[in-house]
């Protein structure tokens, strides 16, 4: 009879944070490994280019490391990390736009009506019809069609799974504004993707 | 009798996706969706839109980007420790 190998229990974030605060680098690295893919994807979807996404990724974790002692553990570590990353990403976008003097938040009004124009059913399982790279380009192009403030709301709520309240606090918006932006962002993205995925 | 028209239905689609809806309104909306192909398409494709952006297989972290990140963090950690 062979002995089964012992299962190493996955440590909670809060345990790893406590250990990292006490000077255990392996614990901090475990937190990085747990969330690096998600933070990179967030940076990529927000900024639309790999170089900026890498900067967002590095800055987010370097800042998290620098300010770890200040992290109050009444919030989730991941929410705190996302807050840092989204601020880094939005700062990058502001810099990119600074010559145009268009404030990110006001680029598109919240109240304008969205009128769907694409009513054709999508092809079933569109993700299986495209190579991974093609699908990523399609999704990024659609996301870049949103103004950054709306894109941030969509990414935080629908992709990162933050609550309306968390998203509102993080972006300094009212909960009503988060809901309004999310509604517009979802429909606008859907409209863009429908042009590509509709049954021909 | 269904009390919702397409415009009302569209306004509520986001709340429906979030599962945040009064039972009566939800029933009327589902009834409308069962009868209106256009609204059903908008709902289905909005849901699929979210699913696609959440697909964990997309946007992988390149190995060299990961290496640079871990090197930078290790360097910062050692600077702090020294």
């Amino acid at each position: 009879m062979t002995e089964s190998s012992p299962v190493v229990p996955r440590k909670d974030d809060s345990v790893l944070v406590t250990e990292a605060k006490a000077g255990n680098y392996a614990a901090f690295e475990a937190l990085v490994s747990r969330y690096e893919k998600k933070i990179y994807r967030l940076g990529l979807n927000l900024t639309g280019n790999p170089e900026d996404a890498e900067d967002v990724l590095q800055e987010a974790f370097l800042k998290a490391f620098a300010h770890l002692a200040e992290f109050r553990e009444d919030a989730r570590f991941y929410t705190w990390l996302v807050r840092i990353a989204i601020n880094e990403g939005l700062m990058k976008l502001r810099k990119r736009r600074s010559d145009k003097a268009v404030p990110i938040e006001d680029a598109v009004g919240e109240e304008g009506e969205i009128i769907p124009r694409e009513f054709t059913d999508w092809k079933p399982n569109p993700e299986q019809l495209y190579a991974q790279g093609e699908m990523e380009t399609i999704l990024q192009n659609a996301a870049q069609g949103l103004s950054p403030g709306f894109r941030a709301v969509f990414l935080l709520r629908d992709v990162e799974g933050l609550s309306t309240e968390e998203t509102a606090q993080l972006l300094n918006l009212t909960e009503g504004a988060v809901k309004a932006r999310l509604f517009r962002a979802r429909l606008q993205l859907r409209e863009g993707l429908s042009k590509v995925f509709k049954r021909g | 009798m269904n009390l919702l028209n397409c415009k009302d239905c569209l306004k509520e689609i986001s709340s429906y996706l979030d599962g945040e809806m009064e039972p009566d309104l939800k029933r009327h909306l589902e009834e409308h969706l069962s009868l209106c192909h256009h609204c059903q398409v908008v709902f289905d494709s909005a849901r699929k839109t979210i699913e696609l952006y959440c697909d964990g297989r997309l946007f992988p972290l390149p190995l060299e980007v990961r290496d640079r990140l871990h090197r930078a963090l290790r360097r910062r950690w050692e600077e702090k420790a020294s």
Side-chain angles (χ1 to χ4, degrees), chain A residues 36 54 65 136 139 186, chain B residues 18 53 59 66 68 70:
Chain A
E36 60 196 0
E54 180 170 357
F65 170 65
E136 288 167 357
L139 294 180
R186 284 169 168 174
Chain B
D18 291 330
Y53 281 96
F59 307 112
R66 182 178 191 276
R68 283 195 288 269
H70 284 255

Side-chain angles (χ1 to χ4, degrees), chain B residues 21-82:
Chain B
M21 195 167 259
E22 294 293 321
D24 272 358
L25 182 57
K26 185 172 178 232
R27 189 166 48 79
H28 286 306
L29 187 126
E30 286 172 348
E31 201 179 313
H32 180 88
L33 289 177
S34 72
L35 299 168
C36 175
H37 182 66
H38 278 187
C39 287
Q40 182 68 56
V41 168
V42 173
F43 173 71
D44 284 343
S45 48
R47 187 176 53 191
K48 189 72 194 171
T49 295
I50 297 167
E51 284 173 13
L52 286 173
Y53 281 96
C54 291
D55 188 333
R57 292 167 300 181
L58 298 173
F59 307 112
L61 176 64
L63 207 54
E64 64 276 16
V65 173
R66 182 178 191 276
D67 284 348
R68 283 195 288 269
L69 170 68
H70 284 255
R71 275 205 302 274
L73 288 167
R74 168 68 70 177
R75 219 173 21 246
R76 195 63 64 88
W77 185 276
E78 286 167 357
E79 280 166 14
K80 196 182 167 197
S82 63

